[in-house]
Every structure is written in C-alpha cells, then in structure tokens.
C-alpha cells in the first residue's frame, strides 16, 4: 500500500511530459488518477495504459481548458469516470499542470497570446479549485505547477512568465483560505525539463548542453525529478507545508 492508497487525484495535462510523470508517480503511490487531456486523447490513453500495466488505477478525462464551459465539462467527465470505477465523486489531490508556452518578448507579444496563456495557466486553475471544493475532502492537496521563469528574468516569454506568476499568487491566497480545512496548497517551479513542450530548445545542435549548463548538476531536468516533489506534497509527510513555491530547477541560475 502506497502513501496515497484510497485517494483520488486529478492531474491536468497528464498525457505527456511532466504531467505524465506526475500521474504515473501518484498512481505508483496508490492513488486512483484521473489523467486529464485537452486534445491529445492518444497520449492520455497511453499514460493510463502505463499506469494500469504497472498495477495502478487510472482513467482519462477530457476538457479543453481556456474554452467556455471548460471546467464544468472536465468535472462532468471526472464524475463519470469515478462512477465507472465504482468510486464516489470526490477528490483528494488536484495537480494544476496543464500548460503551454507562446514565446514572445515585449515587442512582439500579442493580446490573443496573452489571453490564451492566462486562461490556461491562471484562470483554469482558479475555477478548477472553485468548482472542485465541493468534491475536495478535508486534508486534500492542491499542487500548482509553476515555472522558474517567475524567479529569473525570462523576457523572451514575457506573457508566459506573467501567467505563471499569477498562478503563484493564487497558491498563496488559497493556502490561507483553505487552511482551516487542513488543505495544503503549494506550487512547484521546474526549470528546463526535457519534454515535448520545449523540444525546439533542446533538440537543436548544442541545445541540450546549453540548457544543461544552467543547472548546478549539469543536466536538464526529467519529468521524474518534478514528479517526486509533487508526490511528497501530495502525501501526509507534507502536512506542515503550505503556501510555498518549491524550486525544482536543479539549482538553475544560482
């Protein structure tokens, strides 16, 4: 029995990259994991298959974040998936991981790009929590995946950095408000992680070595590096940690 046996976790953007790593790690600890996806159903199904092949429990749930009715549709799918699993409509761990980047400095960033980034990285987590409160059991965990771009200047992705900073502000506010329910709310801030989202950066000649050099450990991050931190925050061991943003950049830019 793992640390999360008997608990239900929802991981947004759980089909690929960091989200897949988190979903698999939480399932390995015994959680029933709802693997959220927007448009890549194939990727979410693959994550579910990886989990079930290892003896875990998981199911996929769709919801295109940033569109009208996104949160309601996601929770309808979650409730339906839980019924199929013979479970009540409850939630113990919410991981707001879904995200993307639209690069652009101040001279080229477009209003529509800013709106899309804020909708997925800030607005969706806010209302996922709001509409999930009736399902969230006491002692629950909310974990927001932020970015090291809020700690160091990252002008080439100014709107993305702003959206992640908003997510960290939400983290602190929720930690204060939900504390009486023994719900902890924390953020995790990865640096450069070797995933599909930033493939363009590390797949270019010399790109991986250049990004690895930012970390004191001399390598790029891996999804498992972040997932292990999330697993700690999802467990009872983190009961005295809330309102924090944990750097998961491998000491980048120190």
């Amino acid at each position: 029995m793992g640390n999360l046996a008997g608990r239900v976790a929802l991981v947004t953007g759980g089909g690929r990259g960091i989200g897949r790593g988190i979903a698999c790690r939480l399932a390995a600890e015994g959680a029933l994991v709802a693997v959220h996806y927007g448009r890549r159903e194939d990727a979410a199904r693959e994550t579910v298959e990886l989990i079930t092949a290892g003896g875990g429990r998981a199911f996929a749930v769709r919801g295109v974040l940033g569109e009208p009715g996104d949160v309601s549709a996601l929770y309808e799918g979650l409730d339906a998936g839980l019924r199929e699993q013979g479970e009540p409509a409850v939630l113990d761990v919410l991981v707001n991981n879904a995200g993307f980047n639209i690069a652009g400095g101040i001279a080229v960033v477009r209003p529509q790009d800013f709106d899309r980034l804020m909708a997925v990285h800030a607005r969706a987590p806010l209302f996922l929590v709001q509409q999930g409160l009736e399902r969230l059991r006491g002692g629950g965990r909310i974990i927001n995946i932020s970015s090291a771009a809020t700690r160091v200047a990252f002008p080439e992705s100014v709107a993305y950095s702003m959206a992640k900073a908003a997510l960290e502000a939400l983290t602190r506010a929720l930690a204060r408000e939900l504390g009486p329910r023994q719900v902890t709310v924390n953020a995790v801030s990865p640096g450069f992680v070797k995933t599909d989202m930033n493939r363009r950066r590390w797949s270019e000649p010399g790109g991986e070595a250049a990004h690895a050099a930012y970390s004191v450990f001399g390598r790029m991050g891996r999804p498992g590096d972040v997932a292990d931190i999330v697993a700690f925050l999802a467990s009872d061991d983190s009961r005295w940690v809330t309102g924090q943003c944990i750097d998961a950049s491998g000491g980048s830019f120190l």
Side-chain angles (χ1 to χ4, degrees):
M1 299 293 285
N3 291 330
L4 301 178
R7 301 186 190 180
V8 176
L10 168 61
V11 181
T12 67
R16 298 184 295 167
I18 292 174
R20 172 176 287 180
I22 292 170
C24 291
R25 184 70 170 81
L26 297 184
E29 290 295 334
L32 167 58
V33 181
V35 180
H36 161 263
Y37 68 96
R39 294 183 172 86
R40 288 290 307 276
E41 181 178 5
D42 58 332
R45 296 293 181 191
E46 185 175 339
T47 300
V48 170
E49 290 171 4
L50 287 170
I51 290 171
T52 56
R57 301 175 67 204
F59 61 93
V61 57
R62 184 178 185 273
V64 182
L65 300 181
E67 295 188 351
D70 53 358
V71 173
S72 296
L74 194 160
Y75 276 125
E76 288 174 6
L78 174 67
D79 294 346
L82 289 171
R83 283 194 299 271
E84 292 178 3
Q85 296 285 326
E87 300 288 346
V90 297
L91 187 61
D92 298 287
V93 181
L94 169 61
V95 182
N96 286 308
N97 164 80
F100 64 98
N101 188 13
I102 302 176
I106 189 62
V108 299
V109 64
R110 303 178 302 171
Q112 59 265 39
D113 296 338
F114 177 85
D115 290 345
R116 285 181 59 202
L117 288 162
M118 291 296 292
V120 173
H121 292 281
R123 189 181 74 190
L126 169 64
F127 291 105
L128 278 167
V129 173
Q130 182 192 69
Q131 296 186 36
L133 285 177
E134 63 182 17
R135 300 169 176 82
L136 189 65
R137 292 193 277 203
R141 301 287 187 263
I142 299 171
I143 304 159
N144 299 321
I145 306 303
S146 183
S147 170
T150 65
R151 176 173 59 84
V152 298
F154 200 50
E156 58 266 44
S157 291
V158 62
Y160 172 82
S161 301
M162 292 174 68
K164 288 299 191 182
L167 182 62
E168 291 185 16
L170 174 65
T171 299
R172 291 186 290 272
L174 290 175
R176 178 72 176 269
E177 184 166 357
L178 300 181
R181 292 180 54 184
Q182 308 303 305
V183 172
T184 68
V185 188
N186 292 286
V188 178
S189 295
F192 292 112
V193 180
K194 197 173 179 181
T195 65
D196 288 343
M197 191 176 92
N198 56 19
R199 178 179 293 274
R200 178 183 61 81
R201 290 178 170 274
W202 58 262
S203 63
E204 296 173 351
E208 182 171 352
H211 287 82
Y214 290 119
S215 167
V216 299
F217 300 121
R219 67 170 175 85
M220 291 186 68
R222 308 181 185 104
D225 297 325
V226 181
D228 287 347
I229 299 169
V230 172
F232 162 72
L233 292 173
S235 75
D236 290 337
D237 291 342
S238 69
R239 61 192 175 277
W240 207 236
V241 180
T242 195
Q244 303 304 303
C245 183
I246 298 178
D247 184 269
S249 70
S252 293
F253 302 101
L254 289 179

